[in-house]
Amino acid sequence: MTTPAPAPIRPNRYKAEPSVLTVLRTPRILTREVLAGLVVALALIPEAISFSIIAGVDPRVGLFSSFVMAVSIAFLGGRPAMITAATAAVAVVIAPVMRDYGFDYFIATVILGGAFQVIMGVLGVAKLMRFIPRSVMIGFVNALAILIFTSQLPHLIGVPWLVYPLVAGGILIMVLMPKLTKVVPAPLVAIALTTAVVVVMALNVPTVGDEGELPKSLPELFIPSVPLTWETFTIIAPYALAMAVVGLLESLMTAKLVDEVTDTHSRKTREAWAQGVANLLSGFFGGMGGCAMIGQTMINVKASGARTRISTFLAGVFLLILVVGLGDLVAIIPMAALVAVMVMVSVATFDWHSIRPSTLKRMPKSETAVMVATVVIVVLTHNLAIGVVAGVLVAMVLFARRVAHFVTVTRVLPEDEQVPTAYYTVDGELFFASSNDLTTQFEYADDPERVVIDMSNSHIWDASTVAALDAIVTKYDQHDKRVVLVGMNQATTDFHGRLSGGVGGGH
C-alpha cells in the first residue's frame, strides 16, 4: 500500500515578514523600525502643519489627525509599514466646507467621508485596482515625485542664502551615510547634524517653529455640533464622497507601490475599510482626516528600511511626543534639513528607468502616451486621483483602438462546391470597438445564396457584437440569402443564443 504524497503547502502570500513578534525579539531590526518611525514623525510635522493651512484650520488639527490615523492604521491596515496621516489631497477637497460652513461642518464631512470609505471597502472597491495599467502606475509614481519636489520650492525661494548650503549638506550626508553604515537611517543623521550646525553657529534660518504653533495638550473627543438633517447631509455629502474616493485611490495606489518596492503582498480590501475607520476616529478627535502619504511612506520603507507595523505605530506615537512633550526642541529643527530629506525622497521615488532612451525606444508609443498623460494631468491639477482616472481613461481609449484592428475577416469562394457557398472566417476578439465595422466586411450583393461564417477563431464579448452579427444576417436575408454561423465555442454560443434577435433588430 503506497502512502499518498502530502498535499503541497501553499505559502501565505500576505504573511508579513518579518512579523511583529520577530522584530520585538530582534534588537537590530527593532532599532531600525524605531528609528524609521522617528524619522517619519519628524518629516510629518511640517507637512501636517502646511496641510492644515491648506484646509484653513488650526495646525493642531492636522497634527492630531496624523497621530490618530498613523496609530489606528498600524493596527487595522492591510499594508504594513505604510504611513497614513493628514494629506494635501484630502485637505484640498474638503477646504471649501471649512471656508463656507465652519469647523463643525468640516469635521462632520471628515466623519461622513470615513463612513463612505468603510462602505466602499466592504463592497470590494479595492478590487478595481486590477484595472489600473502599469503605465498609469508609473505615471502616478513619477508625478508624485515631481509634486514632492515642487512642494519643497516654497522653502527654497526667498530664504536666507544659508539655507542652500544646509540643504546641500543634508543631501550629501544622505548620499554618503548608507555607504558607511545602515544601522541608523541616513535621514535621521542628516536632520540631527543639520540642526546641530544651526544651533551651534546660531544661524538665522527658517525652522519648524516658524510653520505654525505646536499643540500643548493631548487630542480630546470631539462631537461636531451640526443638525442631523437631510439638508446637512446634502451639504457635506458631495465633499465627503470626493474625499473618500481621493483618499482610497491614493491609499491603494501607494499600497500597490509599496508591494512592488518590498516584493510583498498587501490586503487591499482590508486597507480600504481601515482607511475609513482611521478617518472616522480622526474626525471624532477633531482631526482633518487624510490617507496614505507616499512621501513619508517612501522615507519609511525605502530610505529607512522599515517593513512592519511597528514603524507606522511609532511614527504616530513619536509625533505626539515630539509636538506635545518636546515641542520647543522640535521647533528649532531647520526646515532645510526636512527639505533635504524630501528632495532625496523625490529622487528615490521617480522611476528613472521609465524615461531612459532605451526604454522609450522599446516601449509601445501608447504606453508612453498614457504615462505622460498621467504625469501632466497630476502635475497640472495637483490631484493624484484626477490624474490616475484620466490616465486609465486614456489607456482604455488607446487599448480599444489597438484591439479594434486585431479582427480580420477572410472570404473564400470554392469553385468545386455543389451548392455555391461563400466561406468567411472571423479571427480575433469581438467587442464594441472591434465589431463596429464588422458589417462592412461582407459582400452581401455578390455572395451566392449560401453563406457560412466560421467563428472558430473568435470570441464574442458583448451585446454590440451580437447586434452586429444580427445585422449581418438581416442584410443577407434582405438579399434572399441564407447565413450559417459555425465554430462558436460554448460560451460564445450561449451568449449569442441568449441575446440574438433582441439587440440588433431581429431576423
Side-chain angles (χ1 to χ4, degrees), residues 432-466:
F432 64 90
S434 59
S435 63
N436 272 343
D437 61 350
L438 192 63
T439 56
T440 64
Q441 301 189 49
F442 293 82
E443 306 293 337
Y444 302 103
D446 297 335
D447 279 340
E449 292 183 5
R450 185 170 182 266
V451 177
V452 176
I453 301 176
D454 186 357
M455 306 287 291
S456 303
N457 299 326
S458 60
H459 188 97
I460 295 176
W461 287 103
D462 63 3
S464 296
T465 303
V466 176

Side-chain angles (χ1 to χ4, degrees), residues 297-308:
T297 298
M298 287 298 102
I299 290 176
N300 196 44
V301 174
K302 237 179 179 179
S304 303
R307 289 293 181 271
T308 72

Side-chain angles (χ1 to χ4, degrees), residues 40-256:
V40 171
L42 290 169
L44 276 173
I45 294 170
E47 298 274 302
I49 293 172
S50 61
F51 299 155
S52 298
I53 294 168
I54 291 172
V57 296
D58 190 282
R60 286 172 291 189
V61 175
L63 290 166
F64 286 158
S65 182
S66 296
F67 159 68
V68 172
M69 295 197 74
V71 170
S72 57
I73 211 73
F75 290 98
L76 302 171
R79 173 63 263 177
M82 191 165 77
I83 304 298
T84 293
T87 56
V90 169
V92 168
V93 169
I94 60 177
V97 181
M98 180 66 193
R99 184 186 65 235
D100 298 336
Y101 300 100
F103 187 69
D104 286 279
Y105 277 84
F106 177 85
I107 296 299
T109 303
V110 172
I111 294 170
L112 183 60
F116 282 154
Q117 285 182 328
V118 171
I119 294 168
M120 292 164 76
V122 171
L123 291 177
V125 73
K127 292 175 183 173
L128 297 176
M129 286 296 295
R130 71 186 66 175
F131 296 106
I132 298 180
R134 179 167 176 77
S135 50
V136 174
M137 185 70 187
I138 293 172
F140 165 82
V141 169
N142 291 346
L144 209 46
I146 294 170
L147 288 184
I148 291 171
F149 180 80
T150 55
S151 67
Q152 306 311 307
L153 294 180
H155 302 297
L156 296 171
I157 298 173
V159 293
W161 69 270
L162 287 168
V163 168
Y164 304 113
L166 288 172
V167 171
I171 291 173
L172 192 62
I173 291 168
M174 283 181 281
V175 171
L176 298 177
M177 183 74 185
K179 297 178 181 178
L180 301 174
T181 178
K182 293 185 179 179
V183 174
V184 182
L188 182 59
V189 176
I191 292 170
L193 290 180
T194 307
T195 304
V197 169
V198 169
V199 172
V200 170
M201 300 182 69
L203 302 179
N204 184 21
V205 293
T207 63
V208 171
D210 297 330
E211 294 293 301
E213 184 186 354
L214 299 176
K216 303 293 184 186
S217 60
L218 296 172
E220 297 175 352
L221 193 64
F222 181 87
I223 306 296
S225 178
V226 295
L228 299 176
T229 62
W230 178 251
E231 184 183 359
T232 301
F233 180 80
T234 56
I235 290 172
I236 65 175
Y239 298 102
L241 184 60
M243 168 192 158
V245 172
V246 168
L248 276 187
L249 193 53
E250 192 160 337
S251 298
L252 294 173
M253 290 289 282
T254 304
K256 191 174 180 182

